[in-house]
Amino acid sequence: MLDRIRASLPALSPAEQRVGKLVLADPRSFSSLPVAELADRSHVSKPTVVRFCRSVGYDGLADFKLKLAGTVNEGVPFVHRAVDEDDKPNDLIVKVIDNAVSALLKYRGDVAAHAMEKAIEALTASARDGRRIQFYGVGNSGIVAQDAQHKFFRLGVHAVAFSDGHVQVMAATMLQPGDCAVMISNSGRTRDLLDAAEIARRKGAQTIVISCSGSPLAHQAQILLAVDHPEDYDRYSPMVSRLLHLTVIDILTTAVALRLGPDLRPVLQEIKRNLRAKRYASPE
């Protein structure tokens, strides 16, 4: 973006060039200052600041500052941006994508590697011993649980996902030592999951919780994979938390697959061959 502004300077009016030079001199400040101060620092009028933004290809000052904030912060604004009713489609695109990417990068910095290692070891041990690995989630987290079942079951693991509260209680009751119960929750306060987690722990299963730290469910975890994020619950559905939880599942699946080693490769290759044959079979 800054290269684009620099290349556009010769084609701008002298007044707009002064605004452009101010951007290039201190892009971080420009993205946060009010229009009156930007005009004052550039020695131009407030309308000239807006004209400059449009001259270099943006919808206006708000659109320009939003994109500039992303550029000066390594491409991602590390501040959660709440969406508003009057946001234009372009604003929504930027905010939703930036929220997701910044949350993922924040999680990369916050993730507790030792807890992830313990979860990987527990899941790998259950997989090797032919024990059960069960995923529990409700609502949006139920979708993540289904994704986890799909990924783990391809590894030849006895993996099942449960999203119905009554079935969760019954499934947890049948767990035994050596099994793993993975509880997935955005809030960490869902009653059904709390009940299932307590039962699973009582039955001797390893209880892994993917949820926010400090929640009631987190306190029941034997292994807590804490996922904390500033989500805007009032404005839109919890997309960021789902992406983070899916990322955690991807990390666990990849690690377990690597731990299971070469014995797993023939199974995956056979699955791939069978799926390809099914997909491209000639109609009768």
Side-chain angles (χ1 to χ4, degrees):
M1 181 177 180
L2 296 178
D3 289 340
R4 177 180 178 180
I5 294 168
R6 195 174 290 109
S8 300
L9 282 180
L12 300 177
S13 67
E16 290 176 351
Q17 286 183 20
R18 289 198 292 274
V19 180
K21 289 175 182 177
L22 179 65
V23 176
L24 296 173
D26 191 358
R28 192 177 299 272
S29 294
F30 193 99
S31 65
S32 60
L33 291 174
V35 64
E37 188 164 350
L38 293 174
D40 184 63
R41 290 191 180 192
S42 304
H43 306 293
V44 299
S45 65
K46 288 188 284 188
T48 299
V49 175
V50 177
R51 279 199 304 273
F52 159 79
C53 297
R54 289 176 178 156
S55 296
V56 292
Y58 298 89
D59 292 339
L61 181 60
D63 179 44
F64 180 86
K65 290 172 73 173
L66 196 63
K67 301 284 178 55
L68 183 63
T71 298
V72 298
N73 289 296
E74 298 180 4
V76 182
F78 290 93
V79 177
H80 189 274
R81 296 179 176 275
V83 298
D84 298 304
E85 288 88 346
D86 59 349
D87 278 344
K88 296 178 181 178
N90 190 59
D91 297 327
L92 290 174
I93 292 169
V94 171
K95 288 182 177 181
V96 171
I97 293 176
D98 281 355
N99 285 346
V101 176
S102 62
L104 286 167
L105 291 176
K106 181 180 183 299
Y107 179 70
R108 184 182 68 181
D110 294 345
V111 63
H114 66 281
M116 190 69 73
E117 176 64 25
K118 289 173 65 177
I120 292 165
E121 288 178 354
L123 291 166
T124 302
S126 293
R128 279 187 176 143
D129 295 341
R131 308 299 305 182
R132 284 173 288 194
I133 297 177
Q134 298 182 346
F135 299 93
Y136 297 72
V138 177
N140 278 292
S141 297
I143 297 172
V144 179
Q146 290 287 342
D147 182 73
Q149 173 191 316
H150 175 73
K151 286 184 167 67
F152 271 83
F153 131 93
R154 290 197 311 161
L155 305 182
V157 175
H158 297 295
V160 185
F162 301 104
S163 57
D164 179 270
H166 291 85
V167 178
Q168 287 173 348
V169 168
M170 290 188 287
T173 303
M174 291 186 284
L175 290 170
Q176 298 176 359
D179 296 333
C180 275
V182 183
M183 309 291 170
I184 306 165
S185 175
N186 187 20
S187 67
R189 300 178 182 278
T190 305
R191 182 74 262 168
D192 291 338
L193 289 179
L194 290 169
D195 292 341
E198 182 181 356
I199 295 168
R201 193 157 45 97
R202 197 166 64 236
K203 299 298 289 188
Q206 188 79 264
T207 308
I208 301 169
V209 170
I210 302 172
S211 188
C212 53
S213 57
S215 65
L217 187 60
H219 290 307
Q220 291 206 26
Q222 291 172 300
I223 302 173
L224 173 62
L225 302 180
V227 179
D228 299 304
H229 52 85
E231 189 138 57
D232 183 9
Y233 300 104
D234 296 332
R235 302 285 183 166
Y236 63 105
S237 63
M239 182 66 181
V240 169
S241 63
R242 189 191 307 175
L243 289 173
L244 290 172
H245 292 168
L246 288 169
T247 299
V248 173
I249 295 299
D250 274 350
I251 293 169
L252 294 174
T253 309
T254 303
V256 171
L258 291 172
R259 299 284 175 93
L260 292 178
D263 293 341
L264 180 62
R265 195 170 296 117
V267 177
L268 294 176
Q269 290 173 343
E270 185 176 1
I271 290 174
K272 187 175 182 180
R273 284 197 304 270
N274 290 338
L275 286 175
R276 186 183 293 116
K278 177 178 176 60
R279 187 176 300 133
Y280 298 114
S282 301
E284 295 181 359

